[in-house]
Amino acid sequence: MSHSDLYVEVDRSAYTNALAKASPVTKTFFSISALIICVSALSLHSFIVPIIIFITCSFLTLTIAKVKLHLYLDLFLYPTFMVTLSCIFLALFFGSGDSLIQIPLPWTTWTIYKGGISTAINTFFSVEGSLSCLFFLVLTTSITDLSLILKRIHVPTVLVELSLLIYRYIFMFMEISHQMSTAQKLRLGGRGWLKKIRDTALLVGNLFIRTLEQGERVFVAMNARGYDGNIYVLEDFPKPKKTILATIVLFDIFLIIMIFLTTNIGVIAYAV
């Protein structure tokens, strides 16, 4: 899926999913609280809690919100690939405590530690659980609702408006860069390291110019529509239900208890 298609699918899902009309305050509170707990579990070496969070958020996203499975998997593809590579390096080249495997080399002895493998496992599941929290929020809550929540918690207006514009145009410029790169390849560009460096420099320069031109056009269009320094949106979302908020609090308490019950439990026992 191309970057522009991904942007369209994510934006469409945020407005058309089964939880689109639910209170964004509730969804934001659930996602942020679960995210904080998931990250906290990493420092206590508990990978059970991130797995619970991942399963819960994936269930809510796919079953309750009825988000398309292929879209959900596409969002996980690149982050999962990157975190897998990082965790492999953590497992093989970092760690402390008892050694698991020692491989003699001509110049040294390569030691794989139990602590390194445990850290890699905990890191992998913590990242996946955190991503599921963020994707649940992104796929079920529109950027407009999120901007209203940011304003209600007194985030500076300029930052909120910048986030709106960045979200709107970041995927578009990624698609433009992809089109430019494709055009260069069709013209037999990028053959050899020197040509690749030259073509990359040309692409970055042209993209910078296109960015300035697009920003100027947007500013002119906003002024033509009466822009006075503020972007106004209709505040029309339901109030959060107390029962649902209480359920989220109970779930968070359950996760905190599970963190302390499953500390240092892993596939390979963590060694300090």
Side-chain angles (χ1 to χ4, degrees), residues 243-269:
T243 54
I244 298 180
L245 292 177
T247 302
I248 295 174
V249 171
L250 291 176
F251 179 70
D252 291 341
I253 294 174
F254 165 74
L255 292 177
I256 293 172
I257 294 173
M258 286 297 298
I259 287 178
F260 291 101
L261 293 179
T262 60
T263 299
N264 293 336
I265 295 178
V267 178
I268 297 178

PDB file of all heavy atoms in Angstrom, residues 243-269:
ATOM      1  N   THR A 243     -19.468   5.014  33.683  1.00  0.00           N
ATOM      2  CA  THR A 243     -19.293   3.563  33.837  1.00  0.00           C
ATOM      3  C   THR A 243     -18.109   3.059  33.010  1.00  0.00           C
ATOM      4  O   THR A 243     -17.332   2.208  33.467  1.00  0.00           O
ATOM      5  CB  THR A 243     -20.572   2.839  33.401  1.00  0.00           C
ATOM      6  OG1 THR A 243     -20.927   3.260  32.068  1.00  0.00           O
ATOM      7  CG2 THR A 243     -21.716   3.166  34.340  1.00  0.00           C
ATOM      8  N   ILE A 244     -17.968   3.599  31.813  1.00  0.00           N
ATOM      9  CA  ILE A 244     -16.852   3.176  30.956  1.00  0.00           C
ATOM     10  C   ILE A 244     -15.525   3.660  31.536  1.00  0.00           C
ATOM     11  O   ILE A 244     -14.531   2.925  31.545  1.00  0.00           O
ATOM     12  CB  ILE A 244     -17.048   3.699  29.527  1.00  0.00           C
ATOM     13  CG1 ILE A 244     -18.324   3.115  28.920  1.00  0.00           C
ATOM     14  CG2 ILE A 244     -15.845   3.346  28.666  1.00  0.00           C
ATOM     15  CD1 ILE A 244     -18.607   3.581  27.516  1.00  0.00           C
ATOM     16  N   LEU A 245     -15.501   4.896  32.044  1.00  0.00           N
ATOM     17  CA  LEU A 245     -14.283   5.406  32.665  1.00  0.00           C
ATOM     18  C   LEU A 245     -13.896   4.568  33.882  1.00  0.00           C
ATOM     19  O   LEU A 245     -12.712   4.272  34.096  1.00  0.00           O
ATOM     20  CB  LEU A 245     -14.473   6.868  33.071  1.00  0.00           C
ATOM     21  CG  LEU A 245     -14.605   7.888  31.924  1.00  0.00           C
ATOM     22  CD1 LEU A 245     -14.864   9.279  32.485  1.00  0.00           C
ATOM     23  CD2 LEU A 245     -13.350   7.900  31.058  1.00  0.00           C
ATOM     24  N   ALA A 246     -14.903   4.179  34.664  1.00  0.00           N
ATOM     25  CA  ALA A 246     -14.630   3.333  35.835  1.00  0.00           C
ATOM     26  C   ALA A 246     -14.083   1.972  35.407  1.00  0.00           C
ATOM     27  O   ALA A 246     -13.177   1.418  36.046  1.00  0.00           O
ATOM     28  CB  ALA A 246     -15.903   3.166  36.658  1.00  0.00           C
ATOM     29  N   THR A 247     -14.620   1.434  34.317  1.00  0.00           N
ATOM     30  CA  THR A 247     -14.127   0.150  33.802  1.00  0.00           C
ATOM     31  C   THR A 247     -12.670   0.262  33.361  1.00  0.00           C
ATOM     32  O   THR A 247     -11.860  -0.647  33.621  1.00  0.00           O
ATOM     33  CB  THR A 247     -14.993  -0.314  32.622  1.00  0.00           C
ATOM     34  OG1 THR A 247     -16.356  -0.415  33.039  1.00  0.00           O
ATOM     35  CG2 THR A 247     -14.525  -1.672  32.111  1.00  0.00           C
ATOM     36  N   ILE A 248     -12.332   1.370  32.715  1.00  0.00           N
ATOM     37  CA  ILE A 248     -10.941   1.583  32.285  1.00  0.00           C
ATOM     38  C   ILE A 248     -10.018   1.682  33.489  1.00  0.00           C
ATOM     39  O   ILE A 248      -8.915   1.119  33.504  1.00  0.00           O
ATOM     40  CB  ILE A 248     -10.846   2.843  31.411  1.00  0.00           C
ATOM     41  CG1 ILE A 248     -11.627   2.655  30.118  1.00  0.00           C
ATOM     42  CG2 ILE A 248      -9.389   3.170  31.101  1.00  0.00           C
ATOM     43  CD1 ILE A 248     -11.714   3.908  29.260  1.00  0.00           C
ATOM     44  N   VAL A 249     -10.467   2.373  34.537  1.00  0.00           N
ATOM     45  CA  VAL A 249      -9.653   2.498  35.753  1.00  0.00           C
ATOM     46  C   VAL A 249      -9.428   1.131  36.381  1.00  0.00           C
ATOM     47  O   VAL A 249      -8.303   0.790  36.798  1.00  0.00           O
ATOM     48  CB  VAL A 249     -10.324   3.465  36.745  1.00  0.00           C
ATOM     49  CG1 VAL A 249      -9.602   3.426  38.090  1.00  0.00           C
ATOM     50  CG2 VAL A 249     -10.329   4.884  36.199  1.00  0.00           C
ATOM     51  N   LEU A 250     -10.470   0.318  36.445  1.00  0.00           N
ATOM     52  CA  LEU A 250     -10.332  -1.027  37.006  1.00  0.00           C
ATOM     53  C   LEU A 250      -9.384  -1.875  36.163  1.00  0.00           C
ATOM     54  O   LEU A 250      -8.586  -2.655  36.701  1.00  0.00           O
ATOM     55  CB  LEU A 250     -11.705  -1.699  37.098  1.00  0.00           C
ATOM     56  CG  LEU A 250     -12.681  -1.107  38.129  1.00  0.00           C
ATOM     57  CD1 LEU A 250     -14.036  -1.807  38.043  1.00  0.00           C
ATOM     58  CD2 LEU A 250     -12.105  -1.227  39.537  1.00  0.00           C
ATOM     59  N   PHE A 251      -9.478  -1.735  34.855  1.00  0.00           N
ATOM     60  CA  PHE A 251      -8.577  -2.470  33.972  1.00  0.00           C
ATOM     61  C   PHE A 251      -7.131  -2.033  34.193  1.00  0.00           C
ATOM     62  O   PHE A 251      -6.215  -2.880  34.214  1.00  0.00           O
ATOM     63  CB  PHE A 251      -8.986  -2.242  32.521  1.00  0.00           C
ATOM     64  CG  PHE A 251      -8.105  -2.927  31.511  1.00  0.00           C
ATOM     65  CD1 PHE A 251      -8.117  -4.301  31.375  1.00  0.00           C
ATOM     66  CD2 PHE A 251      -7.258  -2.182  30.706  1.00  0.00           C
ATOM     67  CE1 PHE A 251      -7.298  -4.941  30.450  1.00  0.00           C
ATOM     68  CE2 PHE A 251      -6.437  -2.804  29.774  1.00  0.00           C
ATOM     69  CZ  PHE A 251      -6.458  -4.183  29.647  1.00  0.00           C
ATOM     70  N   ASP A 252      -6.906  -0.730  34.351  1.00  0.00           N
ATOM     71  CA  ASP A 252      -5.552  -0.234  34.611  1.00  0.00           C
ATOM     72  C   ASP A 252      -5.030  -0.760  35.953  1.00  0.00           C
ATOM     73  O   ASP A 252      -3.846  -1.113  36.063  1.00  0.00           O
ATOM     74  CB  ASP A 252      -5.547   1.294  34.612  1.00  0.00           C
ATOM     75  CG  ASP A 252      -5.797   1.874  33.226  1.00  0.00           C
ATOM     76  OD1 ASP A 252      -5.623   1.134  32.247  1.00  0.00           O
ATOM     77  OD2 ASP A 252      -6.187   3.057  33.138  1.00  0.00           O
ATOM     78  N   ILE A 253      -5.887  -0.795  36.957  1.00  0.00           N
ATOM     79  CA  ILE A 253      -5.468  -1.341  38.264  1.00  0.00           C
ATOM     80  C   ILE A 253      -5.096  -2.816  38.127  1.00  0.00           C
ATOM     81  O   ILE A 253      -4.097  -3.285  38.698  1.00  0.00           O
ATOM     82  CB  ILE A 253      -6.590  -1.155  39.300  1.00  0.00           C
ATOM     83  CG1 ILE A 253      -6.804   0.340  39.590  1.00  0.00           C
ATOM     84  CG2 ILE A 253      -6.259  -1.900  40.595  1.00  0.00           C
ATOM     85  CD1 ILE A 253      -7.982   0.633  40.486  1.00  0.00           C
ATOM     86  N   PHE A 254      -5.883  -3.552  37.351  1.00  0.00           N
ATOM     87  CA  PHE A 254      -5.573  -4.968  37.097  1.00  0.00           C
ATOM     88  C   PHE A 254      -4.214  -5.113  36.423  1.00  0.00           C
ATOM     89  O   PHE A 254      -3.406  -5.985  36.789  1.00  0.00           O
ATOM     90  CB  PHE A 254      -6.666  -5.577  36.237  1.00  0.00           C
ATOM     91  CG  PHE A 254      -6.298  -6.891  35.616  1.00  0.00           C
ATOM     92  CD1 PHE A 254      -6.251  -8.042  36.381  1.00  0.00           C
ATOM     93  CD2 PHE A 254      -5.982  -6.966  34.263  1.00  0.00           C
ATOM     94  CE1 PHE A 254      -5.889  -9.264  35.815  1.00  0.00           C
ATOM     95  CE2 PHE A 254      -5.633  -8.174  33.690  1.00  0.00           C
ATOM     96  CZ  PHE A 254      -5.584  -9.326  34.453  1.00  0.00           C
ATOM     97  N   LEU A 255      -3.913  -4.245  35.458  1.00  0.00           N
ATOM     98  CA  LEU A 255      -2.631  -4.319  34.766  1.00  0.00           C
ATOM     99  C   LEU A 255      -1.472  -3.996  35.718  1.00  0.00           C
ATOM    100  O   LEU A 255      -0.413  -4.648  35.661  1.00  0.00           O
ATOM    101  CB  LEU A 255      -2.616  -3.342  33.596  1.00  0.00           C
ATOM    102  CG  LEU A 255      -3.555  -3.661  32.430  1.00  0.00           C
ATOM    103  CD1 LEU A 255      -3.479  -2.554  31.374  1.00  0.00           C
ATOM    104  CD2 LEU A 255      -3.222  -5.006  31.801  1.00  0.00           C
ATOM    105  N   ILE A 256      -1.659  -3.010  36.585  1.00  0.00           N
ATOM    106  CA  ILE A 256      -0.608  -2.652  37.541  1.00  0.00           C
ATOM    107  C   ILE A 256      -0.333  -3.813  38.493  1.00  0.00           C
ATOM    108  O   ILE A 256       0.826  -4.139  38.805  1.00  0.00           O
ATOM    109  CB  ILE A 256      -1.006  -1.388  38.316  1.00  0.00           C
ATOM    110  CG1 ILE A 256      -1.050  -0.182  37.368  1.00  0.00           C
ATOM    111  CG2 ILE A 256      -0.024  -1.118  39.453  1.00  0.00           C
ATOM    112  CD1 ILE A 256      -1.608   1.069  37.994  1.00  0.00           C
ATOM    113  N   ILE A 257      -1.390  -4.465  38.952  1.00  0.00           N
ATOM    114  CA  ILE A 257      -1.207  -5.631  39.826  1.00  0.00           C
ATOM    115  C   ILE A 257      -0.475  -6.748  39.087  1.00  0.00           C
ATOM    116  O   ILE A 257       0.438  -7.397  39.637  1.00  0.00           O
ATOM    117  CB  ILE A 257      -2.573  -6.120  40.340  1.00  0.00           C
ATOM    118  CG1 ILE A 257      -3.205  -5.063  41.257  1.00  0.00           C
ATOM    119  CG2 ILE A 257      -2.425  -7.446  41.093  1.00  0.00           C
ATOM    120  CD1 ILE A 257      -4.617  -5.387  41.685  1.00  0.00           C
ATOM    121  N   MET A 258      -0.831  -6.945  37.817  1.00  0.00           N
ATOM    122  CA  MET A 258      -0.184  -7.990  37.029  1.00  0.00           C
ATOM    123  C   MET A 258       1.300  -7.685  36.811  1.00  0.00           C
ATOM    124  O   MET A 258       2.119  -8.617  36.728  1.00  0.00           O
ATOM    125  CB  MET A 258      -0.891  -8.130  35.680  1.00  0.00           C
ATOM    126  CG  MET A 258      -2.241  -8.812  35.753  1.00  0.00           C
ATOM    127  SD  MET A 258      -2.123 -10.523  36.320  1.00  0.00           S
ATOM    128  CE  MET A 258      -1.121 -11.253  35.034  1.00  0.00           C
ATOM    129  N   ILE A 259       1.649  -6.415  36.733  1.00  0.00           N
ATOM    130  CA  ILE A 259       3.062  -6.066  36.567  1.00  0.00           C
ATOM    131  C   ILE A 259       3.878  -6.593  37.742  1.00  0.00           C
ATOM    132  O   ILE A 259       4.938  -7.218  37.572  1.00  0.00           O
ATOM    133  CB  ILE A 259       3.232  -4.540  36.429  1.00  0.00           C
ATOM    134  CG1 ILE A 259       2.746  -4.063  35.064  1.00  0.00           C
ATOM    135  CG2 ILE A 259       4.701  -4.151  36.598  1.00  0.00           C
ATOM    136  CD1 ILE A 259       2.829  -2.571  34.880  1.00  0.00           C
ATOM    137  N   PHE A 260       3.383  -6.352  38.946  1.00  0.00           N
ATOM    138  CA  PHE A 260       4.131  -6.780  40.132  1.00  0.00           C
ATOM    139  C   PHE A 260       4.077  -8.299  40.340  1.00  0.00           C
ATOM    140  O   PHE A 260       4.995  -8.878  40.919  1.00  0.00           O
ATOM    141  CB  PHE A 260       3.597  -6.057  41.370  1.00  0.00           C
ATOM    142  CG  PHE A 260       3.905  -4.586  41.374  1.00  0.00           C
ATOM    143  CD1 PHE A 260       2.946  -3.657  41.016  1.00  0.00           C
ATOM    144  CD2 PHE A 260       5.170  -4.125  41.719  1.00  0.00           C
ATOM    145  CE1 PHE A 260       3.235  -2.296  41.010  1.00  0.00           C
ATOM    146  CE2 PHE A 260       5.459  -2.768  41.714  1.00  0.00           C
ATOM    147  CZ  PHE A 260       4.493  -1.856  41.367  1.00  0.00           C
ATOM    148  N   LEU A 261       3.023  -8.928  39.861  1.00  0.00           N
ATOM    149  CA  LEU A 261       2.939 -10.389  39.993  1.00  0.00           C
ATOM    150  C   LEU A 261       3.808 -11.114  38.975  1.00  0.00           C
ATOM    151  O   LEU A 261       4.203 -12.266  39.197  1.00  0.00           O
ATOM    152  CB  LEU A 261       1.487 -10.838  39.844  1.00  0.00           C
ATOM    153  CG  LEU A 261       0.514 -10.425  40.946  1.00  0.00           C
ATOM    154  CD1 LEU A 261      -0.900 -10.922  40.643  1.00  0.00           C
ATOM    155  CD2 LEU A 261       0.972 -10.965  42.303  1.00  0.00           C
ATOM    156  N   THR A 262       4.088 -10.462  37.846  1.00  0.00           N
ATOM    157  CA  THR A 262       4.843 -11.122  36.774  1.00  0.00           C
ATOM    158  C   THR A 262       6.228 -10.517  36.567  1.00  0.00           C
ATOM    159  O   THR A 262       6.852 -10.748  35.544  1.00  0.00           O
ATOM    160  CB  THR A 262       4.058 -11.030  35.449  1.00  0.00           C
ATOM    161  OG1 THR A 262       3.847  -9.658  35.103  1.00  0.00           O
ATOM    162  CG2 THR A 262       2.719 -11.725  35.569  1.00  0.00           C
ATOM    163  N   THR A 263       6.705  -9.751  37.539  1.00  0.00           N
ATOM    164  CA  THR A 263       8.034  -9.156  37.433  1.00  0.00           C
ATOM    165  C   THR A 263       9.101 -10.237  37.317  1.00  0.00           C
ATOM    166  O   THR A 263       9.102 -11.197  38.073  1.00  0.00           O
ATOM    167  CB  THR A 263       8.329  -8.255  38.648  1.00  0.00           C
ATOM    168  OG1 THR A 263       7.359  -7.205  38.685  1.00  0.00           O
ATOM    169  CG2 THR A 263       9.710  -7.670  38.557  1.00  0.00           C
ATOM    170  N   ASN A 264       9.993 -10.044  36.328  1.00  0.00           N
ATOM    171  CA  ASN A 264      11.125 -10.943  36.095  1.00  0.00           C
ATOM    172  C   ASN A 264      10.704 -12.348  35.647  1.00  0.00           C
ATOM    173  O   ASN A 264      11.503 -13.284  35.693  1.00  0.00           O
ATOM    174  CB  ASN A 264      12.014 -11.071  37.337  1.00  0.00           C
ATOM    175  CG  ASN A 264      12.719  -9.775  37.648  1.00  0.00           C
ATOM    176  OD1 ASN A 264      12.918  -8.935  36.785  1.00  0.00           O
ATOM    177  ND2 ASN A 264      13.104  -9.596  38.907  1.00  0.00           N
ATOM    178  N   ILE A 265       9.461 -12.510  35.239  1.00  0.00           N
ATOM    179  CA  ILE A 265       9.033 -13.782  34.668  1.00  0.00           C
ATOM    180  C   ILE A 265       9.222 -13.714  33.164  1.00  0.00           C
ATOM    181  O   ILE A 265       8.717 -12.793  32.515  1.00  0.00           O
ATOM    182  CB  ILE A 265       7.558 -14.088  34.992  1.00  0.00           C
ATOM    183  CG1 ILE A 265       7.385 -14.281  36.496  1.00  0.00           C
ATOM    184  CG2 ILE A 265       7.079 -15.335  34.242  1.00  0.00           C
ATOM    185  CD1 ILE A 265       5.962 -14.549  36.915  1.00  0.00           C
ATOM    186  N   GLY A 266       9.929 -14.626  32.596  1.00  0.00           N
ATOM    187  CA  GLY A 266      10.180 -14.590  31.164  1.00  0.00           C
ATOM    188  C   GLY A 266      10.481 -15.955  30.610  1.00  0.00           C
ATOM    189  O   GLY A 266      10.532 -16.949  31.316  1.00  0.00           O
ATOM    190  N   VAL A 267      10.662 -16.016  29.309  1.00  0.00           N
ATOM    191  CA  VAL A 267      11.044 -17.265  28.654  1.00  0.00           C
ATOM    192  C   VAL A 267      12.372 -17.743  29.202  1.00  0.00           C
ATOM    193  O   VAL A 267      12.596 -18.931  29.421  1.00  0.00           O
ATOM    194  CB  VAL A 267      11.119 -17.074  27.131  1.00  0.00           C
ATOM    195  CG1 VAL A 267      11.571 -18.356  26.461  1.00  0.00           C
ATOM    196  CG2 VAL A 267       9.772 -16.634  26.594  1.00  0.00           C
ATOM    197  N   ILE A 268      13.281 -16.794  29.396  1.00  0.00           N
ATOM    198  CA  ILE A 268      14.556 -17.085  30.041  1.00  0.00           C
ATOM    199  C   ILE A 268      14.616 -16.239  31.300  1.00  0.00           C
ATOM    200  O   ILE A 268      14.408 -15.041  31.249  1.00  0.00           O
ATOM    201  CB  ILE A 268      15.738 -16.746  29.110  1.00  0.00           C
ATOM    202  CG1 ILE A 268      15.675 -17.637  27.873  1.00  0.00           C
ATOM    203  CG2 ILE A 268      17.063 -16.901  29.829  1.00  0.00           C
ATOM    204  CD1 ILE A 268      16.765 -17.358  26.878  1.00  0.00           C
ATOM    205  N   ALA A 269      14.866 -16.841  32.405  1.00  0.00           N
ATOM    206  CA  ALA A 269      14.860 -16.112  33.678  1.00  0.00           C
ATOM    207  C   ALA A 269      15.844 -14.965  33.625  1.00  0.00           C
ATOM    208  O   ALA A 269      17.001 -15.120  33.196  1.00  0.00           O
ATOM    209  CB  ALA A 269      15.207 -17.060  34.823  1.00  0.00           C
TER     210      ALA A 269
END
